[in-house]
Amino acid sequence: GNLIISGAGSSVGIGTTNPNTALDVRGDIRLDSNGVTDRSIYFRNQGSDGGVIKSDRSLSLWSGVGGSPTTALTVQGETLNVGIGTTNPEYKLHIRDITGASSLYLQSSDTSDTEILFGGITNLVKSRIKFDNSDNSLSINGFDDITTIYINADTEVGIGTTNPEYKLDVYDGTTEKARFGGLNDQSLYIGSDSDEAFIANDKQVLNQYKGEV
C-alpha cells in the first residue's frame, strides 16, 4: 500500500490509494545529494525550464524562460539572510537590481494602514513609518513609538504635532521653538518662552515681543 499506480489516469500515489494528480504524495519528500552536489526540482513548460528550486548550502528559487532561468531569491544557509536579485545577501533582506532602481512596494487595503515597524526582542515596536489611508497622512514615529514628524494630506508638516496648521508647524508640547543652523555654529532661533516670543541668533536677540503681537 506504499505505492499505487492508477491505470485509468496514469496517476501515482505514495501514501495514498486515491491519487488526485499525476504524482500525489501524502507525507514528506527528501532529496539527498549524499554530500556530492546540490539537489534541484525543475518545472518545465513546453520543454523549457520555467523555474527551479535548488538546495545546496543555500536555498534558491530560479525563474525565467527559454531554458535559462536566473536566481530570483536566495536564502543563505549560514546567515539565513534573504536576497532578491543577489545570491550573496549581506543583510536579513537584501534587494538588488543591476539594471535599474530597486524599489520596495507595500500595498494594503484602502481602509488599512501601511507601516514599517522597528523594534527589539523585548520592546517589539520602538518606532515606525506609517501611511494612514483614512486621511492620507504620513507619520514618522521616533523612540517609544511617539510621533515625531507628521505630514497631512495638504502636505503641511508637523514636528511635535499631528495637527499642523502651516507648511511647517513646530511644537514641543510646552513651547514652540525652531532652529535653523548654519556654518561656524551660527544658528537662527524662532520660538517662545513664557509670555515672550523671540527671533535670535547665537549672539543676540534680534527681535523680542511681549504680550499680544
Side-chain angles (χ1 to χ4, degrees), residues 130-139 150-158 162-167:
K130 181 178 76 172
F131 180 81
D132 190 335
N133 274 301
S134 66
D135 60 6
N136 294 321
S137 65
L138 178 70
S139 58
Y150 180 89
I151 305 174
N152 63 21
D154 296 323
T155 66
E156 294 169 332
V157 179
T162 57
N163 187 32
E165 300 179 10
Y166 308 94
K167 281 301 179 182

Side-chain angles (χ1 to χ4, degrees), residues 13-21 23-29:
I14 301 177
T16 177
T17 59
N18 185 29
N20 296 319
T21 57
L23 175 61
D24 193 342
V25 180
R26 307 297 173 90
D28 298 332
I29 298 176

Side-chain angles (χ1 to χ4, degrees), residues 64-183:
V65 295
S68 301
T70 56
T71 306
L73 184 145
T74 298
V75 181
Q76 208 169 51
E78 295 84 357
T79 63
L80 299 182
N81 290 348
V82 177
I84 299 177
T86 176
T87 58
N88 187 31
E90 299 179 16
Y91 305 94
K92 284 303 178 184
L93 177 60
H94 186 167
I95 301 174
R96 182 171 181 255
D97 188 343
I98 62 174
T99 62
S102 293
S103 301
L104 181 63
Y105 183 23
L106 303 180
Q107 187 174 25
S108 61
S109 69
D110 292 338
T111 57
S112 300
D113 298 335
T114 304
E115 297 180 301
I116 300 176
L117 307 180
F118 306 88
I121 301 300
T122 303
N123 298 320
L124 296 181
V125 179
K126 289 186 176 181
S127 60
R128 75 180 71 203
I129 300 173
K130 181 178 76 172
F131 180 81
D132 190 335
N133 274 301
S134 66
D135 60 6
N136 294 321
S137 65
L138 178 70
S139 58
I140 300 176
N141 291 13
F143 177 70
D144 238 2
D145 203 22
I146 297 175
T147 302
T148 304
I149 300 175
Y150 180 89
I151 305 174
N152 63 21
D154 296 323
T155 66
E156 294 169 332
V157 179
I159 299 178
T161 176
T162 57
N163 187 32
E165 300 179 10
Y166 308 94
K167 281 301 179 182
L168 177 61
D169 199 341
V170 181
Y171 187 66
D172 71 358
T174 57
T175 61
E176 297 181 4
K177 189 173 185 179
R179 186 186 79 166
F180 302 87
L183 297 175

Side-chain angles (χ1 to χ4, degrees), residues 176-198:
E176 297 181 4
K177 189 173 185 179
R179 186 186 79 166
F180 302 87
L183 297 175
N184 301 320
D185 296 326
Q186 294 298 309
S187 299
L188 177 67
Y189 299 87
I190 302 175
S192 62
D193 185 8
S194 185
D195 62 343
E196 298 179 352
F198 61 87

